[in-house]
């Protein structure tokens, strides 16, 4: 059993922190910007709510975070009353935010200089994965630090792997998002075409999902897409944040991402339709 803190009790962080308490059996302190959520978590799971990230981090073996973007992450780590000021020497900070590889390296550098570890550890598996404690966690950082962190992360992970040095977790998550973008557009076009052709979309998917066209998106989203419902998971606003991180990194490393860039613009159109909070399968909505 470890002493841990969790910063950022959103859709992902709230259940992840819960698994640390219930499944991991750890002593958990939480911090959330909107304090009421931290109070509710503490009442539900039996932990302590701290007033600042710094206070949450003090005296902990490990501190987790899952906030929005690079700026949010900087704010809760190196900002005023940020967690880094409270970290004990030898402790470990694990960041589950989907952020840039740059900010991961920057914070890893700051952590190393102050004598504690930093692992970038973005996740895949969505809200359901967080609630069921079966996330995939892609990590970057130093091997000895990772080896200590992995058994604690296991409370909410089905798979967890060190991908390389600091930033490698975020780079791996970028690959994940690049693969999803083009695939969801192709699935949207397939469903759209089937509808226009007057086919029974359910029957079409039942047949083709047993063959080479099969995908997680197809299995889990085709029914709601066919019904024009787009309220089932990862939001377009978040996806655009992630794709902009991918495109920025590609500008630097020279990778060519023509379909990803196009799909990013399609998502911008979905936002203009008022779909910023719709799930990512709403690429279908702009075809109509
Ligand atoms: P969310 O529900 O919007 O929660 C965001 C959390 O971060 C909230 O607790 C929020 O506090 C806190 N926060 C944001 N900015 C902050 C700041 N400047 N200072 C302090 N706290 C701040 O988001 P989420 O869905 O949990 O996603 C969190 C991260 O996981 C994102 O990077 C996202 O891309 C990634 N992710 C999400 C999913 C998914 O399916 N949702 C899947 C994989 C990865 P308040 O409560 O005060 O707003």
């Amino acid at each position: 059993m470890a002493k841990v803190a969790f910063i950022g009790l959103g859709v992902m962080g709230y259940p992840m922190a819960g698994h640390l308490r219930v499944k991991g059996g750890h002593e958990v302190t939480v911090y959330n910007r909107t304090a009421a959520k931290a109070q509710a978590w503490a009442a539900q799971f039996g932990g302590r709510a701290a007033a600042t990230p710094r206070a949450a981090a003090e005296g902990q073996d490990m501190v987790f975070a899952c906030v929005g973007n690079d700026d949010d992450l900087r704010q809760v780590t190196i900002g005023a009353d940020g967690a880094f000021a409270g970290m004990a020497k030898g402790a470990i900070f694990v960041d589950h935010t989907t952020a840039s590889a740059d900010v991961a390296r920057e914070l890893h550098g700051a952590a190393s200089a102050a004598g504690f570890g930093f692992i970038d550890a973005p996740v895949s598996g969505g809200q359901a994965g967080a609630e069921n404690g079966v996330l995939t966690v892609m990590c970057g950082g130093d091997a000895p630090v990772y080896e200590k962190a992995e058994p604690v992360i296991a409370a909410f992970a089905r798979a967890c792997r060190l991908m390389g040095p600091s930033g490698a977790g975020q780079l791996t998550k970028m690959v994940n998002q690049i693969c999803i973008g083009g695939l969801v557009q192709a699935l949207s076009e397939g469903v759209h075409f089937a509808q226009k052709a007057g086919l029974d979309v359910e029957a079409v998917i039942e047949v083709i999902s047993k063959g080479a066209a099969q995908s997680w998106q197809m299995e889990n989203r085709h029914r709601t897409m066919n019904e024009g419902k787009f309220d089932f998971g990862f939001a377009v606003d978040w996806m655009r944040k992630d794709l902009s991180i991918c495109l920025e990194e590609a500008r630097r490393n020279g990778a060519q991402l023509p379909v990803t860039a196009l799909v990013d613009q399609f998502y911008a159109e979905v936002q203009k339709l008022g779909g910023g909070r719709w799930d990512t399968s709403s690429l279908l909505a702009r075809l109509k």
Side-chain angles (χ1 to χ4, degrees):
M1 180 173 148
K3 280 189 75 187
V4 306
F6 205 108
I7 296 167
L9 302 174
V11 166
M12 302 297 283
Y14 194 101
M16 289 162 82
H19 287 300
L20 286 170
R21 179 83 198 90
V22 176
K23 206 163 135 205
H26 303 296
E27 190 181 323
V28 184
T29 299
V30 292
Y31 165 80
N32 196 67
R33 178 178 56 184
T34 307
K37 254 193 245 174
Q39 301 295 350
W41 188 96
Q44 183 177 345
F45 291 103
R48 187 172 69 88
T52 64
R54 178 182 184 153
E58 276 164 359
Q60 309 293 351
D61 304 317
M62 280 177 70
V63 179
F64 296 83
C66 190
V67 294
N69 59 25
D70 284 21
D71 288 344
D72 301 326
L73 179 59
R74 283 198 185 89
Q75 211 166 331
V76 300
T77 51
I78 54 176
D81 276 326
F84 276 21
M87 295 290 291
K89 285 209 188 306
I92 301 173
F93 193 100
V94 178
D95 174 42
H96 294 297
T97 310
T98 303
S100 68
D102 268 0
V103 76
R105 292 184 199 111
E106 173 191 328
L107 295 178
H108 176 269
S112 300
F116 61 92
F118 181 92
I119 302 282
D120 50 295
V123 300
S124 161
Q127 182 173 355
E131 287 172 354
N132 296 321
V134 292
L135 292 168
T136 295
V137 188
M138 301 151 253
C139 300
D142 306 319
V145 176
Y146 171 80
E147 275 152 29
K148 281 195 220 158
E150 198 212 58
V152 185
I153 295 172
F156 48 75
R158 176 162 56 191
C160 183
R161 182 165 172 171
L162 182 65
M163 305 307 299
S166 179
Q170 295 297 353
L171 292 170
T172 304
K173 174 75 180 180
M174 289 175 214
V175 177
N176 188 73
Q177 301 307 72
I178 290 164
C179 292
I180 288 173
L183 190 150
V184 175
Q185 175 62 18
L187 177 60
S188 300
E189 291 183 17
V191 171
H192 177 63
F193 180 94
Q195 289 172 337
K196 285 282 183 192
L199 290 167
D200 176 343
V201 175
E202 275 296 312
V204 170
I205 299 292
E206 200 186 309
V207 169
I208 70 170
S209 65
K210 295 192 173 57
Q214 190 273 343
S215 67
W216 185 97
Q217 299 286 341
M218 179 178 279
E219 291 210 340
N220 290 279
R221 292 287 178 266
H222 80 271
R223 193 162 292 122
T224 46
M225 288 170 82
N226 191 33
E227 290 166 352
K229 293 179 183 160
F230 303 113
D231 192 22
F232 297 92
F234 195 60
V236 166
D237 288 344
W238 279 140
M239 188 60 166
R240 284 216 76 208
K241 184 254 302 178
D242 292 2
L243 294 180
S244 85
I245 292 171
C246 299
L247 294 167
E248 177 71 31
E249 188 66 38
R251 268 191 286 278
R252 223 185 335 256
N253 71 16
Q256 303 219 26
L257 304 180
V259 173
T260 305
L262 191 60
V263 171
D264 179 52
Q265 290 311 300
F266 292 163
Y267 278 125
E269 289 175 21
V270 174
Q271 286 175 315
K272 281 193 201 122
L273 292 173
R277 299 301 296 177
W278 295 349
D279 73 61
T280 48
S281 71
S282 58
L283 283 174
L284 177 61
R286 64 166 283 287
L287 296 175
K288 295 201 168 174

